[in-house]
Amino acid sequence: MARLNTFKNGSGSAGTKKTKNTTLSYQKRAKTTATKTFDQINFSEGQRKALKIFGLFLLLLAGLFTVAFVSYLFTWKADQSYIAATNGGWSTLFQTGEEIQDEGTELPLVENKLGKFGALLANQFIYEWFGVASFLFIVILFVTGYKFLYKRSIFPIWKTWVYSLISIILLSVTFGFIQDFIAETPHILEGKFGFWTNQILKAQIGQVGTAGVLIFIVLTALVLLYNYDLRLSFRSKNSDEEDDELEDEEELLEDSQINKIRANRQNDVATHTYSYPQTEPEQELEDEEELTPEEEELSLSLPLQVNTPKPSNQVASNTQENEIEFSIEQPTSNKVEAPIQEEPSLVVEKPIEEKPITANDLVEKFGEYDPKLDLSGYQYPTLDLLKDYGTGKITINQQELEGNKNRIVETLRNYSIEIEHIKATIGPTVTLYEIIPKPGVRISRIKNLEDDIALSLAALGIRIIAPMPGKGTIGIEVPSSTPEMVSMRSILATEKYQKTDMDLPIALGKTISNEVYIADLAKMPHLLVAGATGQGKSVGINAILTSLLFKKHPAELKFVLVDPKKVELSLFKKIERHFLAKLPNEDDAIITDTKKVINTLNSLCIEMDQRYDLLKNAQVRNLKEYNVKFINRRLNPEEGHRFLPFIVLIIDEFADLMMTAGKEVETPIARLAQLARAVGIHLVIATQRPSVNIITGTIKANFPARLAFRVLSKVDSRTILDSGGADQLIGRGDMLLATGSDLIRIQCAFVDTPEVDQISDFIGGQRGYPSAHYLPEYVGENSEGGSSSDFDMDSRDPMFEEAARLIVMHQQGSTSLIQRKLKLGYNRAGRIIDQLESAGIVGPFEGSKAREVLYPDEYSLEQYLETLR
């Protein structure tokens, strides 16, 4: 009892030591928590690639090991015969059978599915080493390779290695022990390691001793790896010792204190109250003795009230002296430490804060959004679908060049115009002669001699460029006597087209200097095409469509085709589910009816306005920035954001629309031409009559890029190009491209109708989207049907009722909610939300906000749906 009193009165060294150890354990735990794991290491791009390649290599090894090992179980006799015949075999791995037989060895056949390598590999691991336990090496390789390749763990790597290696050794030795009780069999069950280990053990300690050692090793492994049930017996022993110590101490206590001790032992309380008498320091030092572990544990577990010790060393029943009371939290070790004089140091672990998920976290976890994932197996058209017309090389007719040069010089001399220098540039259909006149010659004099030079050359379509932009020369374009056809295949096969980074590259043909000309429709941003009948206008539109189809994925581009003539663009009907867009209630994606054209143009205006709302919410200025932001997962689809493809509107005969519809067509086209470029909607309008009542001032002002094939008069040339020159073209694809103030003469690439048909068949034969891309629904004032009031429940979507229940359950009228929960495409989900609005289940469109749900619960919704059935 003196020792107990001393411990309670003084601050023992054991308590101080335990407090310091506790502090150190907290510090060690903090350091351990701060240590980075393998998944938290930020590898560079090159290191990540190397890890993926290494992981792929390990998975390949796992596959090879599996094939070799499994095959060896059935072909071990033949494999061992081959290995015995080759004295080990590894040295003959790269030798042929004839070479080995030349050495005098009759070579048996190898039956392993992996050949000689598989036979040697399996024999080495299974027969020479560890037997069938070698199959665990496959587990090690597969788990490690999967971790490096996918950065995901099937099992913890270090545990897999440790457990597998220990299991390999134990299984090999165990199978070697079992082998003695089985009939004589080859040593492929335990391997030579297990066999000789058992032979050594049996020679030293006998068969019974070997069995005991194996049992001991297995139990030891279970204790070390899994802390097997042996720890339960330790708890029972500790409890018995505590009970014995408690009985000894209870003999020294009074009956009231015994009852108190037993009550406190039964109640697992979190706090205890202690009373300590005020003693002198000298007396504490005299009485202080070291406690045994059992006494220390008992003293910490019993809430005692102790008086000042008396000479008789007896415990008083009641105490009246000053007492110090305090509460101490019960530690996890179930022991209460004595108070110490020094304040213990406190190490506080930082609380774990939940960080918000950022776009970078989503990209790291899921990768960037891939708009091509729906059609990941889509194959781009190949150049084999196109024909190669002509040789593709320019033939130089030196005699023709010299003759034309002499006629030009002679004609100019007849009018007293001297020339210092003349140079010829040969193109596929036109040769450009650049002349430098002597000082003092007026350029206007040469310009006025255009007809005289044409007369002297006896050529059609002489065009004089005076002066040439960016050069101090005057150009005279003279058609060649033997023009060379420019094929679309030769243009698309060039490196310039294959490696272009343009958003919408259109391959138009070759310039007068025989250079491939590729323009970006996204930067034009709209194109006005004009030309007389039979001059190559339809071929030019086919060239634009073909060059875009060869370069863009269906997820990135959609076409809206308007063909009043009904036959020019009908070849592209086969790619409806890949590249075409249409109104939701239309059957044909290629529009031929004038009234449907008006609805389509107004629908494109609605699409334009919706896209501008999305750009506004995303705080970007154009479609390219928006899609980059969406791909990097910085825009939330639940807020209505989606990947926006380019939309190209192509009208083949605009004059017919203007004659039949007039202002109804001009107004939406003018709106689209003014505003649509930033949201990825681009227009290509073609006409045969470039007159002022067809190409109005409003349209011309918003079409800076104009493409003119041969026209019949200078007035038409000035209407389309604001200058002459188009009337001097030679036809058959000869055209002028105006991009601002410059005029570029180009020979259009030729693509024939069978080629377009083959391209359409190639694309249409692949898996596509369920339907064409749906534009926003638009119903004109005079349209028949299709309005909200004329909604027909018989034509509703099969998922209509399920979507209605989903909307009412979540009380959120969102297209993206239907898209995500029902796993539908955006267009179909938008169609369903329109049907729900027509049925009166959700409210009207409110911009970026979700639609109002008009039914409060599913019960009222079911009653309403019953009335509709």
Side-chain angles (χ1 to χ4, degrees), residues 419-423 433-439 441 443 446 465-476:
I419 298 174
E420 284 188 351
H421 179 72
I422 185 169
K423 181 180 73 171
Y433 295 90
E434 296 182 57
I435 61 175
I436 301 176
K438 287 188 176 181
V441 176
I443 296 178
I446 301 177
I465 310 170
M468 293 194 68
K471 298 181 180 180
T473 60
I474 298 173
I476 302 176

Side-chain angles (χ1 to χ4, degrees), residues 142-361:
F142 182 80
V143 171
T144 308
Y146 190 89
K147 174 67 175 178
F148 284 138
L149 182 60
Y150 297 107
K151 295 185 67 177
R152 295 178 183 176
S153 298
I154 301 177
F155 305 108
I157 290 183
W158 71 271
K159 286 186 178 181
T160 302
W161 277 82
V162 173
Y163 291 2
S164 298
L165 293 178
I166 293 176
S167 300
I168 288 171
I169 296 174
L170 288 179
L171 288 175
S172 178
V173 177
T174 303
F175 287 149
F177 180 78
I178 298 173
Q179 182 77 14
D180 291 343
F181 301 96
I182 305 176
E184 184 177 354
T185 57
H187 300 291
I188 63 171
L189 186 66
E190 77 279 11
K192 287 187 178 180
F193 174 81
F195 175 78
W196 288 111
T197 303
N198 275 276
Q199 295 300 321
I200 294 173
L201 289 175
K202 285 190 292 184
Q204 302 298 327
I205 57 178
Q207 196 170 33
V208 176
T210 302
V213 169
L214 290 177
I215 294 173
F216 172 77
I217 293 174
V218 171
L219 293 179
T220 302
L222 292 176
V223 171
L224 293 176
L225 298 179
Y226 301 105
N227 198 12
Y228 199 57
D229 287 339
L230 295 176
R231 56 181 177 178
L232 297 176
S233 62
F234 297 152
R235 289 181 178 177
S236 300
K237 180 179 179 181
N238 291 338
S239 300
D240 295 340
E241 292 178 356
E242 289 179 4
D243 291 339
D244 295 339
E245 294 293 335
L246 181 61
E247 291 177 1
D248 296 339
E249 295 298 335
E250 284 178 347
E251 295 177 358
L252 303 176
L253 300 175
E254 294 182 359
D255 293 338
S256 60
Q257 291 178 335
I258 292 174
N259 295 333
K260 184 177 180 181
I261 292 170
R262 288 177 175 174
N264 289 335
R265 285 297 303 272
Q266 295 174 357
N267 298 328
D268 188 13
V269 296
T271 57
H272 302 278
T273 303
Y274 298 88
S275 298
Y276 297 98
Q278 303 296 326
T279 57
E280 295 297 329
E282 293 83 355
Q283 188 176 0
E284 294 179 14
L285 293 175
E286 292 174 359
D287 295 336
E288 184 177 5
E289 293 182 10
E290 184 179 1
L291 295 176
T292 63
E294 292 80 1
E295 291 174 339
E296 182 180 351
E297 182 176 354
L298 177 64
S299 64
L300 293 176
S301 61
L302 300 179
L304 300 180
Q305 185 176 9
V306 186
N307 293 334
T308 306
K310 297 181 180 180
S312 61
N313 290 334
Q314 295 178 355
V315 180
S317 61
N318 297 320
T319 180
Q320 300 289 335
E321 302 195 12
N322 296 331
E323 297 178 352
I324 303 174
E325 294 187 359
F326 66 94
S327 296
I328 181 170
E329 186 176 354
Q330 185 177 4
T332 56
S333 62
N334 227 9
K335 298 180 181 181
V336 181
E337 298 179 357
I340 57 177
Q341 293 181 353
E342 295 182 0
E343 244 182 59
S345 59
L346 180 63
V347 178
V348 181
E349 292 185 4
K350 293 183 178 180
I352 300 175
E353 298 180 357
E354 292 291 338
K355 297 182 179 180
I357 298 178
T358 62
N360 293 333
D361 297 334

Side-chain angles (χ1 to χ4, degrees), residues 46-85:
Q47 292 173 334
R48 284 197 295 268
K49 291 180 180 179
L51 289 177
K52 287 183 179 180
I53 295 173
F54 182 63
L56 190 62
F57 174 71
L58 292 180
L59 292 179
L60 175 63
L61 282 184
L64 295 178
F65 272 49
T66 304
V67 174
F69 287 3
V70 173
S71 178
Y72 185 79
L73 296 179
F74 301 97
T75 63
W76 61 272
K77 292 182 179 180
D79 293 348
Q80 286 190 356
S81 298
Y82 168 79
I83 295 171

Side-chain angles (χ1 to χ4, degrees), residues 831-848:
R831 180 68 173 165
I832 292 176
I833 205 73
D834 291 337
Q835 293 178 358
L836 293 174
E837 179 187 355
S838 303
I841 297 176
V842 297
F845 178 72
E846 299 181 4
S848 60

